[in-house]
């Protein structure tokens, strides 16, 4: 692999020299600004060997570096070992920005241009980069060149998988209603059209799903919505005759995927909204309409507020997910005690139990099963090289989820496989306190996730602990497991929280080289009460799975925290027990028995 | 008064018609974007009759409206009664923005220009207004005209009071060091000069104080700092010969106040930083320098981090403030029981006790003494018209502070003057819980106030209560009682919290028509500990005054909250008792006796 990377870098540099480019930047996203991308767009992974979902590789004629966030520090270190890539830890003191680093690296070169593929970088990112590079000795940025077309010989194709209809029984709102709401929102922004690039937004508007992206039921396309027309730019081989008819019935015309630029050009008399964070630079610049309105797309907020059908779907999906999880947890300890289990074998077992459930389509992301020290690698994914035996002691962190036709799930449990240390109990309980405090929170309608984030952290802050990832994200309705616009995190996220949104609650603590703890439920945000001081929200758990009580130091819990845990466990038991065998119910009864009598 | 306002509006409209202006906007600030302004700049109060510290009056040829925030809703309603002003409650559902309202009001007029005095509005505000008005039917904004010059006959002068030196014994850092730090910070922003408009920033840099603004020890001037020069633009009558020598010694040259525009013009070869939120529009546009760098002034952040001398000063000032407060509180209940006391008489008594203390210069803002229903008017200031007798029952809210030469104080206590209702106890305890939770908070160095704000609100949110003002603000070192850049509040305030900053902790709850509760200490932010997860901060109380325990519902307090209260009371007793008489100590001992034995 290291030899591969070196050869690829050599080939790249040859092309760069020919094109008089001092450097090239490879982001982690695709032409649709996706978090998870089809293989065709995994150029950053191909050129660097780093396979995390977030990271940017920058290669100059003499050096190479890769920027990623704290979730991937340990994984990236591992994967870049032996290559010439320098690891740049985002948000850590002393880490230069890409522009600053390039400024330094290119100080002694005669070349004054760097390259980036404008098709796979958002307008915001490229505009920011251009102005930053200008300040660094007037370096310019070329955006119309993709060296991967030449040097990536066995590059995969853009997927051509079949698109399918998401039944109204699960979607709960038809296409005409959704399009009409989008148009209304566009009018409020003084726009009479918009280009939708985000694949999950397209899938949501059209009630269609696909299999183009690993774990995300979306398909590669663009959607142009104007006051009169709806046009889907897509490779027609992906559409069965029934989907074609369905689109016709819904007033959606079909154009080739590659013709989106020309399609956009037809709207020269329109004010087209192009979300600068979502639309890629090349398309953004190609728009020749009367006015480009660079504003947030209205669709993520609409999509994030779930309708009653979707909410009912989550509840159903969570029961099936919970059944699979109970079967898994009941199997887990005896299996580990019997020996021969590894992180990967546990993952396979859990996935197979989920796959047995009705309406299961796929997992919603690659399972993270990290035993002891591996649990401290926030986005660890076991590979044959890293896989280790799991023993009947210590903690295993399992973060997993499923795509059911009626809902997407996302859950983390940290489980004591046998004796745990006092330190493990202490850390586990701090995380649990944070988790519970967030579930207990009431807050004003429209508060941002940033405003309530501290509630999940204060218990650990009191002791000088912290975690550097977000505390919560939206979860799609049989769509992407990470869904915006809202997030709960330390960094400012202005998107308001409202009734009907889903959000995860997943604080964690990671002691490098020792172990990691994360406890995650997916929650539903609901109206709590309206008073003279406004409307207040609360959150109710959607996830149905016991939280391991073995590693809890009960003396650290407040009475309200203990009460929440006991009530949650009763709720889990009541919801799942009708579907379980006698043995399973016995196990669940024990796993959910109250800590406080 | 109402007749006055009507006559003033009539005179204004005559001038507006002559100038072909459809409307004029009167903000609450001055040429220095001050929160509290010299009388000369109280144009908004003069034209509307509303005297709150924040509010904007807008007058068209046929209508008038005044925007203010929740602190002033009740007061403004009172003061605007009988005038033609419509009250616009900021941030309440349905309240239009100024631009939206003007768009509606001016829809049927032929005039296409409105006016605003560019000298008393920040560059950010005017730029925003201009682009908003452009969207409303292409209305333009004239900025070079001040109708008050014509119609305000008895307009006060710009104050000419004497400026005096703030001793290094209190300031702790000399002018040369401060200027050198400002220059270093300017270099980092690629600027080689800046215009300082904020009066407290000028006072801080030069270690000078003045008496130009009620309760704020600042003086009217501009300061221009370049890489080589420091120029103070000030009316020379304000400077004694010793201050002139002092300025000379510190390399500060003196120019007339009115010549700031010409002064700025001399720096045409420079890159001058003009903070768009601080610099007024007229001066901002007058700058003809090579590059105007519109960025945040570095001075507020420098000023907000107090040095050891300033911190020692606060501690000394707080002891004297605490002594006065103990004398007041000991006097209070018997005096109220004896009869004849009113809100204003209590204010006079408190101020006279503070004035007896050494180094006292002034109060730091107009005392808020609100009895029962008046306590629910967030920024209530008793006047002869509103003043009411104070009886030995219910709650009085007293928010007050002092300017001592060695520190500024700001404290709120809500006191039971006799029997209180169960509702009063419940609300009082919710506020106390919020107050204590914020004092107990630990958080990462550099967190914003927005991130920790919820800790003071969660207890009340759980019951559907909230307060709409900020939770905390910085406090000057013998400077303005409200000091930025940091704040603790629901709205996003990005300024980071750091060791050495002061901040208030002042949650409240206000039941309109019934009573109000607010409990406020001024705190010092300190380093708590540094771990592998970063540096964490904590807060320690500077304010020394018992918190009334009579209205506490002890059953609502967590053990950690009770512990904090008892420890705080012990701290107050230990700090103050050496300075008190036997009687006072007896009173204090009782007021601070632990709730938990």
């Amino acid at each position: 692999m290291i030899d591969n990377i070196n050869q690829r870098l050599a080939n790249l540099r040859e092309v760069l020299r020919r094109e008089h480019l001092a450097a090239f930047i490879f982001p982690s996203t695709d032409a649709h600004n996706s978090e998870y991308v089809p293989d065709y767009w995994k150029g950053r992974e191909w050129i660097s060997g780093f396979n995390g979902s977030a990271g940017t590789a920058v290669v100059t004629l003499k050096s190479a570096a890769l920027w990623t966030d704290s979730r991937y520090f340990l994984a990236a270190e591992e994967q870049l070992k032996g290559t010439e890539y320098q690891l740049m830890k985002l948000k850590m003191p002393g880490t230069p920005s890409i522009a600053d680093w390039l400024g330094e690296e290119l100080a002694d070169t005669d070349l004054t241009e760097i390259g980036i593929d404008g098709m796979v970088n958002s307008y915001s990112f490229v505009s920011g980069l251009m102005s930053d590079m200008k300040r660094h000795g007037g370096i310019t940025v070329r955006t119309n060149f993709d060296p991967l077309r030449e040097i990536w010989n066995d590059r995969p194709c853009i997927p051509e998988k079949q698109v399918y209809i998401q039944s109204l029984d699960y979607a709960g709102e038809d296409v005409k209603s959704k399009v009409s709401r989008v148009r209304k929102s566009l009018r409020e922004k003084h726009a009479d059209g918009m280009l939708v690039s985000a694949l999950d937004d397209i899938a949501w508007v059209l009630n269609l799903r696909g299999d183009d992206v690993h774990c995300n039921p979306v398909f590669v396309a663009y959607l142009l919505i104007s006051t009169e027309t709806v046009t889907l730019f897509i490779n027609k081989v992906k559409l069965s005759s029934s989907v074609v008819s369905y689109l016709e019935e819904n007033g959606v015309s079909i154009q080739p995927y590659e013709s989106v630029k020309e399609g956009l050009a037809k709207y020269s008399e329109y004010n087209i909204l192009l979300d600068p964070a979502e639309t890629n630079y090349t398309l953004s610049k190609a728009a020749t309409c009367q006015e480009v309105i660079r504003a947030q797309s209205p669709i993520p907020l609409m999509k994030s507020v779930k309708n009653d059908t979707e909410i009912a779907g989550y509840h159903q999906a969570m029961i099936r997910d919970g059944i699979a999880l109970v079967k898994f947890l009941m199997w887990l300890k005896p299996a580990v005690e019997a020996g021969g289990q590894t992180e990967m074998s546990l993952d396979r077992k859990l996935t197979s139990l989920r796959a047995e459930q009705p309406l299961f389509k796929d997992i919603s992301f690659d399972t993270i099963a990290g035993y002891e020290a591996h649990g401290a690698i926030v986005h660890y994914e076991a590979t044959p090289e890293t896989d280790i035996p799991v023993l009947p002691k210590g903690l295993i962190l399992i973060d997993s989820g499923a795509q059911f036709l009626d809902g997407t799930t996302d859950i983390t449990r940290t489980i004591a496989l046998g004796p745990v240390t006092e330190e493990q109990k202490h850390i586990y309980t701090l995380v649990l306190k944070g988790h519970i405090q967030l579930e207990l929170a009431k807050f004003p309608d429209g508060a941002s996730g940033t405003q309530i984030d501290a509630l999940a952290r204060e218990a650990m802050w009191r002791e000088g602990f912290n975690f550097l990832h977000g505390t919560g994200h939206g979860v799609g309705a049989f769509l992407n497991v990470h869904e915006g616009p809202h997030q709960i995190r330390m960094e400012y996220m202005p998107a308001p929280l409202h009734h009907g949104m889903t959000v995860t609650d997943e604080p964690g603590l990671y002691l490098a080289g020792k172990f990691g703890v994360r406890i995650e439920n997916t929650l539903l945000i609901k109206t709590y009460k309206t008073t003279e001081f406004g409307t207040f929200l609360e959150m109710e758990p959607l996830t149905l799975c016991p939280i391991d009580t073995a590693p809890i130091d009960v003396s650290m819990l407040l009475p309200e925290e203990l009460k929440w845990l006991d009530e949650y466990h009763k709720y889990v038991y009541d919801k799942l027990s009708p579907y379980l065998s006698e043995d399973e119910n016995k196990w669940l009864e024990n796993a959910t028995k109250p800590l406080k009598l």
Side-chain angles (χ1 to χ4, degrees), chain A residues 164-178:
Chain A
Y164 52 95
I165 296 167
Q166 169 75 339
S167 161
L168 209 52
D169 295 346
Y170 304 133
E173 181 181 11
D174 66 21
V175 176
K176 281 175 188 161
S177 166
K178 288 180 177 178

Side-chain angles (χ1 to χ4, degrees), chain A residues 135-398:
Chain A
R135 285 195 293 103
H136 282 284
I139 293 172
T140 56
V141 183
R142 178 172 171 191
T143 63
N144 65 351
F145 177 67
D146 176 11
L148 295 174
R149 283 175 188 265
E150 285 182 57
I151 60 176
W152 190 355
N153 291 322
D154 53 349
R155 185 174 191 169
C157 295
I158 295 179
E160 303 189 338
K161 298 209 175 119
Q162 291 297 295
V163 166
Y164 52 95
I165 296 167
Q166 169 75 339
S167 161
L168 209 52
D169 295 346
Y170 304 133
E173 181 181 11
D174 66 21
V175 176
K176 281 175 188 161
S177 166
K178 288 180 177 178
V179 168
S180 138
R181 286 206 288 142
V182 171
R183 284 180 174 144
K184 182 161 177 286
S185 167
L186 289 175
R187 275 196 301 279
E188 284 163 12
K189 291 168 194 267
H190 307 284
D192 41 26
M194 78 173 289
L195 179 73
V196 191
S197 292
L199 302 185
D200 59 339
D201 287 354
I202 297 172
W204 178 81
V205 171
L206 298 180
N207 289 337
L208 291 177
R209 298 294 186 268
D211 289 317
D212 288 354
V213 180
H214 181 55
C215 297
N216 294 291
V218 296
F219 53 93
V220 175
Y222 291 101
L223 187 69
L224 208 155
I225 301 175
S226 79
T227 35
E228 303 93 24
T229 61
V230 181
T231 311
L232 181 65
F233 297 90
I234 191 167
N235 185 338
K236 283 183 192 172
V237 305
K238 301 166 76 72
L239 305 179
S240 66
S241 59
S242 64
V243 170
V244 169
S245 312
Y246 166 87
L247 288 168
E248 269 168 22
E249 281 157 29
N250 281 292
V252 180
S253 57
I254 303 161
Q255 293 290 332
Y257 178 68
E258 295 72 23
S259 71
V260 60
K261 236 196 237 191
E262 296 78 47
L264 205 49
K266 289 197 188 128
Y267 291 83
S268 56
E269 294 303 308
Y270 285 67
N271 297 335
I272 297 285
L273 184 147
L274 295 177
D275 186 327
E278 174 189 321
T279 317
N280 70 56
Y281 183 80
T282 303
L283 281 182
S284 269
K285 295 299 279 188
T288 57
C289 54
Q290 188 168 295
E291 190 185 351
V292 174
I293 297 170
R294 300 208 190 278
Q296 250 186 349
S297 163
I299 299 177
L301 183 59
M302 288 180 191
K303 177 170 100 272
S304 71
V305 176
K306 309 308 179 195
N307 61 45
D308 291 346
T309 307
E310 289 171 318
I311 291 170
Y314 281 108
H315 282 301
Q316 290 304 312
M318 291 289 177
I319 287 174
R320 295 192 298 281
D321 209 49
I323 294 168
L325 287 158
V326 165
K327 287 176 194 287
F328 172 76
L329 291 173
M330 186 172 144
W331 166 87
L332 178 63
K333 272 201 217 177
V336 168
E337 274 158 23
Q341 298 296 336
T342 69
E343 294 167 330
M344 290 183 77
S345 75
L346 299 189
D347 173 14
R348 283 191 297 270
K349 177 70 179 179
L350 175 56
T351 301
S352 74
L353 287 166
R354 278 193 164 115
E356 287 169 11
Q357 292 295 317
L359 305 189
F360 175 87
K361 285 288 291 182
D362 198 352
I363 53 174
S364 60
F365 57 96
D366 288 319
T367 301
I368 296 165
Y371 179 55
E372 292 285 65
H374 282 174
I377 305 174
V378 177
H379 268 214
Y380 175 74
E381 189 199 331
T383 62
E385 293 76 39
T386 65
D387 194 25
I388 48 171
V390 172
L391 308 177
K393 62 173 185 179
L395 296 173
I396 186 159
L397 183 159
I398 303 179

